[in-house]
């Protein structure tokens, strides 16, 4: 079955780049999403990429996709304290409308 | 922008009570979802709906039911609340069954005493 895995915790210093990693298992064409959750709030859609793409850039965010290894990463350039949050990777499942979520990576940004 | 509104941010109820969590979306989306989020367990899908009066069980439907009488509204019902249902509940909607992002509400933090 489908599964999405993420590391649980990442700590960086303000101004550094952050790289959050995710692996997925579905072999069919799919969309992959990154969400951000700030404390006490819902999930906010950050960006997404189709599985036939290699890269997508949106301001400070860069998504890289290694299709062979089914590995997805989210790079945040010039990380700020406001980027401290939980980041979820999610994979779209066929024609169901459903998403499979990773466990979430807590990003801690130290001043 | 899609707006998904959950009726309460915080709710405290007692064991055995019947609890209603309400969710409304304003983008005429076909799909709506209810998740619960617990530390160390991530997001778990409780129920979802593809259209009015339709419902599908997710991964953890036990102890819950849902209602979708209108397209924009999806209600989660705890028939007889128990302490193990204390959690953060998240509602989401998406346009259709294709590869679409889900849009989330702000969540309801429910405590059962």
């Amino acid at each position: 079955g489908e599964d999405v895995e993420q590391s649980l915790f990442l700590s960086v210093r303000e101004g550094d780049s952050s790289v959050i990693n995710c692996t997925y298992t579905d072999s069919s064409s799919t969309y992959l999403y990154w969400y951000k959750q700030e404390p006490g709030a819902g999930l906010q859609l950050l960006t997404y990429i189709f599985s036939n793409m290699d890269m997508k850039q949106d301001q400070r965010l860069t998504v890289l996709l290694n299709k062979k290894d089914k590995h997805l990463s989210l790079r945040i350039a010039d990380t700020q304290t406001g980027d401290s949050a939980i980041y979820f990777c999610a994979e779209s499942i066929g024609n169901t409308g459903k998403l499979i979520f990773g466990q979430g990576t807590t990003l801690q940004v130290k001043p | 922008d899609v707006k998904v509104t959950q009726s309460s941010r915080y709710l405290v109820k007692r064991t055995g009570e019947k609890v209603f969590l309400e969710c409304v979306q304003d983008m005429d989306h076909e799909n709506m979802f209810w998740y619960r989020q617990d530390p160390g367990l991530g997001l778990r899908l409780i129920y979802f709906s593809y259209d009015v009066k339709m419902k599908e069980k997710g991964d953890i439907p036990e102890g819950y039911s849902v209602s979708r009488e209108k397209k924009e509204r999806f209600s989660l019902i705890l028939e007889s609340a128990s302490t193990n249902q204390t959690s953060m509940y998240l509602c989401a909607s998406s346009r259709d069954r294709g590869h679409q992002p889900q849009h989330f509400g702000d969540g309801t933090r429910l405590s059962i005493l």
Side-chain angles (χ1 to χ4, degrees):
Chain A
E2 300 89 358
D3 195 15
V4 176
E5 300 277 345
Q6 295 179 245
S7 53
L8 294 181
F9 186 78
L10 176 66
S11 181
V12 300
R13 294 226 169 262
E14 194 173 15
D16 287 350
S17 291
S18 307
V19 180
I20 302 170
N21 295 303
C22 170
T23 56
Y24 64 99
T25 56
D26 191 4
S27 59
S28 59
S29 296
T30 188
Y31 278 84
L32 298 147
Y33 304 90
W34 283 105
Y35 286 87
K36 175 184 181 183
Q37 185 182 33
E38 297 182 359
L43 276 66
Q44 172 195 355
L45 178 66
L46 286 178
T47 187
Y48 61 92
I49 190 168
F50 187 52
S51 59
N52 69 352
M53 297 170 64
D54 297 321
M55 187 182 89
K56 180 176 181 180
Q57 188 155 3
D58 185 0
Q59 299 182 343
R60 291 191 299 124
L61 303 179
T62 302
V63 178
L64 293 177
L65 178 60
N66 180 327
K67 292 180 282 296
K68 175 176 170 289
D69 295 337
K70 294 189 172 60
H71 180 268
L72 182 73
S73 66
L74 175 69
R75 179 177 178 271
I76 305 173
D78 186 25
T79 312
Q80 303 297 308
T81 54
D83 294 323
S84 293
I86 303 175
Y87 290 82
F88 289 92
C89 169
E91 176 185 5
S92 180
I93 306 172
N95 292 319
T96 69
K98 291 166 68 175
L99 300 181
I100 294 291
F101 288 88
Q103 295 278 45
T105 299
T106 298
L107 174 64
Q108 179 189 68
V109 182
K110 296 180 180 177
Chain B
D1 276 355
V2 177
K3 181 85 174 151
V4 179
T5 303
Q6 294 185 231
S7 53
S8 305
R9 291 299 301 273
Y10 302 94
L11 207 53
V12 180
K13 295 291 182 180
R14 295 211 171 270
T15 303
E17 280 193 69
K18 190 169 186 176
V19 181
F20 293 85
L21 302 184
E22 306 286 348
C23 176
V24 176
Q25 50 92 4
D26 67 355
M27 284 300 293
D28 201 35
H29 281 176
E30 291 182 3
N31 301 340
M32 296 188 75
F33 305 84
W34 275 107
Y35 296 89
R36 64 177 283 177
Q37 183 180 17
D38 300 289
L41 296 176
L43 274 74
R44 292 181 290 169
L45 183 63
I46 304 171
Y47 266 98
F48 60 105
S49 169
Y50 288 133
D51 204 345
V52 175
K53 298 201 186 291
M54 292 181 66
K55 60 183 179 183
E56 303 280 345
K57 291 181 180 179
D59 300 317
I60 52 161
E62 296 78 18
Y64 303 93
S65 62
V66 289
S67 172
R68 192 157 181 211
E69 295 295 320
K70 293 185 178 181
K71 192 173 185 179
E72 67 270 19
R73 185 180 297 270
F74 194 35
S75 303
L76 180 69
I77 304 156
L78 285 66
E79 296 290 345
S80 176
S82 63
T83 54
N84 63 12
Q85 292 178 309
T86 290
S87 187
M88 174 71 142
Y89 289 87
L90 294 166
C91 175
S93 72
S94 65
R95 194 178 73 190
D96 55 42
R97 291 198 208 195
H99 292 288
Q100 299 291 333
Q102 292 180 12
H103 301 271
F104 284 81
D106 286 334
T108 296
R109 186 162 292 282
L110 175 64
S111 296
I112 307 296
L113 304 179

